[in-house]
Amino acid sequence: MTAPFNFSAGPAMLPGAVLARAQEELRSWRGSGISVMEISHRDPAFMQMAAKAEQDLRELMAVPDNYQVLFMHGGGRGQFSAVPQNIAGQNDTVDYLNGGIWSDFAIREAQKYVARVNVVGGLIDTPQGRAIAPVTDWQLRDDAAYFHYCPNETVDGIALHTIPEQVQAPLVADMSSSILSEPLDVKRFGIIYAGAQKNIGPSGFAIAIVRDDLLGRAQTTASTVMDYTVQAKERSMYNTPNTWAWYLSGLVFEWLKEQGGVAAMGEVNQRKADLLYQTIDSSEFYRNPVHPDYRSKMNVPFLLADDSLDADFLRQAEQQGLLGLKGHRYVGGMRASIYNAMPLAGVEQLVEFMRDFEQKHA
Amino acid sequence: MTAPFNFSAGPAMLPGAVLARAQEELRSWRGSGISVMEISHRDPAFMQMAAKAEQDLRELMAVPDNYQVLFMHGGGRGQFSAVPQNIAGQNDTVDYLNGGIWSDFAIREAQKYVARVNVVGGLIDTPQGRAIAPVTDWQLRDDAAYFHYCPNETVDGIALHTIPEQVQAPLVADMSSSILSEPLDVKRFGIIYAGAQKNIGPSGFAIAIVRDDLLGRAQTTASTVMDYTVQAKERSMYNTPNTWAWYLSGLVFEWLKEQGGVAAMGEVNQRKADLLYQTIDSSEFYRNPVHPDYRSKMNVPFLLADDSLDADFLRQAEQQGLLGLKGHRYVGGMRASIYNAMPLAGVEQLVEFMRDFEQKHA
């Protein structure tokens, strides 16, 4: 293995085959003599590519026909305001699960647009580690316009692995770091959204999958660029989209199909996560603070027993081509993000390095 | 000349040298072994590149120190809502010049955020062609929170070549299609903004240059991602920016400096525009509908005397590598967009083709 493995949480590793193709055709897309970045989004060839990317995503996720697939500006965080502005009224109540740092940001943004953001529950500490309060303890509101949660918290490394049954309001899920990582029953959701820069493509781009019955409700102060109903009508081309990101994401979707789709990815992702957590759990030197039932399969934070070794760990890892392992600035420690583009070989190399480092320093 | 010349209005032609470099280092940025798209925006190397891009843009435009340079999501159209939401109150009056299609869209978006959008004037028809109403006729309001105009209308091919002296309110200019095309006295403006995909870089990205005294006024319903004050404080990294576009734009800024900066570009751009308008004006076969004093130097629309030849014109042009000449779907005809990246040789080849086509069909 010569190429480095990049464990960055986002912008994150992209499949090598996708980058190779993007590089090859960067200056002449489909033999046109010009770059895909230089082509009008209304050019028939671009429109055809864009539609194909949408169709591939629909196939990969088995998106039902009564959902719009939107290619949006503003990244995942742009959706924190887009969601309440699009599907709730200013006098409405909305439910949010506060499962980690990104949920917390989403809650604060929603407070700008609705009368009441009801936090139904959040993180709890248990003898086995940090967890999410059990759904039976959630304080759900009958009148909530929607229920929002983040099934995989990128910073905390905490995940809710089951779709909450008890919720009656439309489910809205921030899947920025888990979209396309395993099979998903889309029809259980009102809205699924994701910033692209983790499991899809480059940054400055987001996908929103919106059930048709939630359209037509935007608040008057919603920016037209972020209006789901307008963008649905205009096939995400109300204004010039991020054409490069759309193109690159399309290549990632093609690559995912070649890998066997989300079912195949889900199996590899499980093996990667198991290997990494087993390595951490079988050691006194490394520690993951999350309850086993709530551990993320995408973002694996871990702490060294002696944090004075953190800098050494990162430096030596980098020397071996294991990049982006520094934990989020809010929590410190280490974090290995192991999205779809990270091969099992990358995790194998990481755990080998971790064992070596432990032997030398334990 | 082997490469095609791309006259697309945007996404538009990029400098060949920039694309060559982007291609070369796409899979290993600065010898890192990974793509610039895969690197965290908070990585020191990326932060350094991002700061250098800002510094280069500041030098190119001679941006005074009391202005923020922001790298935003949402393209130029995202700024149509960002401007009123950031610097006007809901009860305010704002002045807009309606100089063409994009101004008209900006006006309609502003109406969502302020009590009164006062249109000070607009297009007029004169014996010499379409023009903008003289500034002495504008109905300016003394209490306007700002004055908005688009100095270069991409679709109409109409430009206001002087900065209006009479306006007392802070000047806000949509320079999506004219930024960096010639020297500009930035300190005359409150805000200059531009979608990137014409004269800067790839799409899904915008630049906003905001005078410090206009910060701190955002409406409570402004999306935080689009809040100038927040993004100024966070150096445009409140959320993950479009890192690829930032990188590419930085390469374009370096290229512009190598070309001699905006003064040198302004001279070449003038020659390109002169050559094209002279060709049109010296013919009975082609026609530009704009008054000579109000003609755009960036976007040159022209009509064939016999529009049944339009399809032939476009097809034959394309066969000769002259791409993207179809006029905007709102106005039809032809349009040659001749931004910074279009060399004089491209315009020379276009006028040669136009003369040939005229000889064959006139």
Side-chain angles (χ1 to χ4, degrees):
Chain A
M1 184 59 219
T2 53
F5 291 111
N6 174 13
F7 295 90
S8 174
M13 190 169 183
L14 290 162
V18 165
L19 289 174
R21 179 150 164 211
Q23 181 176 42
E24 187 188 328
E25 62 191 21
L26 187 128
R27 295 178 74 183
S28 183
W29 184 59
R30 298 185 172 181
S32 62
I34 64 176
S35 174
V36 69
M37 281 183 279
E38 302 177 293
I39 286 175
S40 169
H41 53 298
R42 301 198 191 280
D43 181 281
F46 187 88
M47 300 270 281
Q48 187 268 327
M49 182 284 292
K52 166 84 161 47
E54 179 187 333
Q55 192 51 43
D56 284 347
L57 180 60
R58 283 182 176 276
E59 280 177 36
L60 282 164
M61 292 184 69
V63 178
D65 287 344
N66 63 322
Y67 285 76
Q68 303 289 329
V69 173
L70 308 177
F71 295 82
M72 305 284 289
H73 292 269
R77 205 151 178 167
Q79 296 299 310
F80 289 179
S81 48
V83 165
Q85 285 196 299
N86 272 284
I87 68 164
Q90 290 176 341
N91 298 318
D92 278 352
T93 296
V94 295
D95 280 346
Y96 274 70
L97 177 68
N98 191 349
I101 281 172
W102 288 106
S103 293
D104 199 54
F105 279 123
I107 287 165
R108 282 190 256 166
E109 190 74 1
Q111 285 167 342
K112 293 160 67 170
Y113 304 104
V114 296
R116 178 169 174 160
V117 179
N118 174 51
V119 178
V120 304
L123 297 173
I124 55 170
D125 286 315
T126 77
Q128 288 175 275
R130 182 155 277 199
I132 293 168
V135 62
T136 45
D137 288 355
W138 295 358
Q139 304 294 313
L140 295 163
R141 294 261 305 195
D142 289 339
D143 58 347
Y146 62 84
F147 169 91
H148 178 282
Y149 77 123
C150 179
N152 185 83
E153 284 279 356
T154 319
V155 173
D156 308 81
I158 289 181
L160 194 63
H161 293 296
T162 53
I163 302 171
E165 297 272 0
Q166 292 82 346
V167 176
Q168 299 300 315
L171 284 180
V172 178
D174 173 3
M175 295 202 179
S176 293
S177 48
S178 56
I179 193 168
L180 291 164
S181 66
E182 61 187 355
L184 181 76
D185 189 1
V186 172
K187 70 175 182 297
R188 301 280 299 279
F189 295 87
I191 296 174
I192 292 165
Y193 69 83
Q197 73 275 15
K198 298 169 190 295
N199 242 335
I200 296 175
S203 63
F205 197 50
I207 303 241
I209 301 170
V210 182
R211 208 173 58 208
D212 285 341
D213 64 290
L214 297 172
L215 297 175
R217 307 181 182 189
Q219 295 183 16
T220 53
T221 54
S223 169
T224 310
V225 168
M226 298 302 277
D227 186 318
Y228 294 153
T229 310
V230 172
Q231 291 289 18
K233 187 171 159 245
E234 302 280 347
R235 304 299 301 255
S236 307
M237 293 197 187
Y238 168 74
N239 69 330
T240 312
N242 182 337
T243 57
W244 173 256
W246 198 324
Y247 154 77
L248 238 287
S249 301
L251 294 186
V252 170
F253 300 151
E254 285 181 16
W255 176 83
L256 280 172
K257 287 172 77 177
E258 287 161 16
Q259 306 307 303
V262 292
M265 293 317 301
E267 284 172 30
V268 178
N269 286 331
Q270 187 68 56
R271 288 175 64 194
K272 285 150 54 184
D274 287 346
L275 177 58
L276 193 43
Y277 283 116
Q278 279 158 15
T279 303
I280 293 166
D281 288 344
S282 64
S283 134
E284 297 290 314
F285 190 78
Y286 301 107
R287 187 170 67 85
N288 171 277
V290 181
H291 186 298
D293 293 347
Y294 294 90
R295 284 175 170 176
S296 166
K297 291 185 230 176
M298 292 285 107
N299 310 97
V300 182
F302 57 93
L303 301 164
L304 272 56
D306 176 1
D307 66 9
S308 71
L309 293 171
D310 283 6
D312 270 353
F313 181 94
L314 290 168
R315 189 175 41 76
Q316 290 181 34
E318 199 157 310
Q319 283 165 358
Q320 299 202 18
L322 302 167
L323 311 178
L325 285 164
K326 193 175 180 181
H328 191 279
R329 60 205 165 107
Y330 288 174
V331 294
M334 313 298 156
R335 175 175 50 170
S337 295
I338 49 177
Y339 303 122
N340 284 339
M342 175 62 65
L344 181 61
V347 179
E348 287 169 347
Q349 195 163 319
L350 172 60
V351 300
E352 192 181 315
F353 166 75
M354 287 170 70
R355 288 184 191 124
D356 284 353
F357 189 86
E358 179 178 357
Q359 279 200 322
K360 283 184 202 140
H361 296 91
Chain B
M1 181 60 218
T2 53
F5 291 113
N6 174 13
F7 295 90
S8 175
M13 189 169 183
L14 289 162
V18 165
L19 288 175
R21 178 148 164 213
Q23 182 176 43
E24 187 187 328
E25 63 192 20
L26 187 128
R27 295 178 74 183
S28 182
W29 184 59
R30 298 185 172 180
S32 63
I34 64 176
S35 175
V36 69
M37 282 183 276
E38 301 176 295
I39 286 175
S40 170
H41 53 297
R42 301 199 190 278
D43 181 281
F46 188 88
M47 300 269 283
Q48 187 268 328
M49 181 285 291
K52 166 85 162 43
E54 178 186 334
Q55 191 50 43
D56 283 346
L57 179 60
R58 284 183 175 275
E59 280 178 35
L60 282 164
M61 293 184 68
V63 177
D65 287 344
N66 63 324
Y67 286 76
Q68 303 289 329
V69 173
L70 307 178
F71 296 82
M72 305 285 288
H73 292 270
R77 205 151 181 169
Q79 297 299 309
F80 289 0
S81 47
V83 164
Q85 284 195 299
N86 271 284
I87 69 165
Q90 289 175 341
N91 299 319
D92 279 353
T93 296
V94 295
D95 280 345
Y96 274 70
L97 176 69
N98 192 349
I101 281 172
W102 288 105
S103 292
D104 200 54
F105 280 124
I107 288 164
R108 281 190 258 166
E109 189 73 1
Q111 286 166 340
K112 293 161 67 170
Y113 304 104
V114 296
R116 179 168 172 161
V117 178
N118 174 52
V119 178
V120 304
L123 296 173
I124 55 170
D125 286 315
T126 78
Q128 288 176 274
R130 181 155 278 199
I132 292 168
V135 62
T136 45
D137 289 354
W138 294 358
Q139 303 294 313
L140 295 162
R141 294 262 305 195
D142 289 340
D143 58 347
Y146 63 83
F147 169 91
H148 179 282
Y149 78 124
C150 179
N152 185 83
E153 284 278 357
T154 320
V155 173
D156 308 80
I158 289 181
L160 194 64
H161 293 296
T162 53
I163 301 171
E165 297 271 2
Q166 292 80 346
V167 177
Q168 300 300 315
L171 284 181
V172 178
D174 173 2
M175 296 202 179
S176 293
S177 49
S178 56
I179 193 167
L180 291 164
S181 66
E182 62 187 354
L184 181 75
D185 189 1
V186 173
K187 70 175 181 297
R188 300 280 299 279
F189 295 87
I191 296 175
I192 292 165
Y193 69 83
Q197 73 275 16
K198 298 167 190 297
N199 242 335
I200 296 176
S203 62
F205 197 51
I207 303 243
I209 301 170
V210 182
R211 208 172 60 207
D212 284 342
D213 64 291
L214 297 172
L215 297 175
R217 305 180 183 190
Q219 295 183 14
T220 53
T221 54
S223 168
T224 311
V225 168
M226 298 302 277
D227 185 319
Y228 293 153
T229 310
V230 172
Q231 291 289 17
K233 187 172 161 243
E234 302 281 345
R235 304 300 300 257
S236 305
M237 295 196 187
Y238 168 73
N239 69 330
T240 312
N242 183 336
T243 56
W244 173 255
W246 199 323
Y247 154 78
L248 239 285
S249 301
L251 294 186
V252 170
F253 300 152
E254 285 180 17
W255 176 83
L256 280 172
K257 287 174 75 175
E258 288 162 16
Q259 306 306 303
V262 290
M265 293 318 302
E267 284 172 30
V268 177
N269 286 332
Q270 186 69 56
R271 288 175 64 194
K272 284 149 54 183
D274 287 347
L275 177 58
L276 193 43
Y277 283 115
Q278 280 158 15
T279 303
I280 293 166
D281 288 345
S282 64
S283 135
E284 297 290 313
F285 190 78
Y286 302 107
R287 186 171 66 84
N288 171 277
V290 182
H291 186 298
D293 293 347
Y294 294 90
R295 285 176 169 176
S296 166
K297 291 186 230 176
M298 293 285 107
N299 311 95
V300 182
F302 57 93
L303 301 164
L304 273 55
D306 176 1
D307 65 9
S308 72
L309 293 171
D310 283 7
D312 271 353
F313 181 94
L314 290 169
R315 190 175 40 77
Q316 290 181 35
E318 199 156 310
Q319 283 165 359
Q320 299 201 18
L322 302 166
L323 311 178
L325 285 164
K326 192 174 182 182
H328 192 279
R329 61 205 163 106
Y330 288 175
V331 295
M334 313 296 157
R335 175 175 51 170
S337 294
I338 48 177
Y339 304 121
N340 284 340
M342 175 61 64
L344 181 60
V347 179
E348 287 169 347
Q349 194 163 318
L350 172 60
V351 300
E352 193 181 314
F353 166 76
M354 288 169 68
R355 290 186 191 122
D356 284 354
F357 189 87
E358 179 178 358
Q359 279 200 323
K360 283 184 203 142
H361 296 92

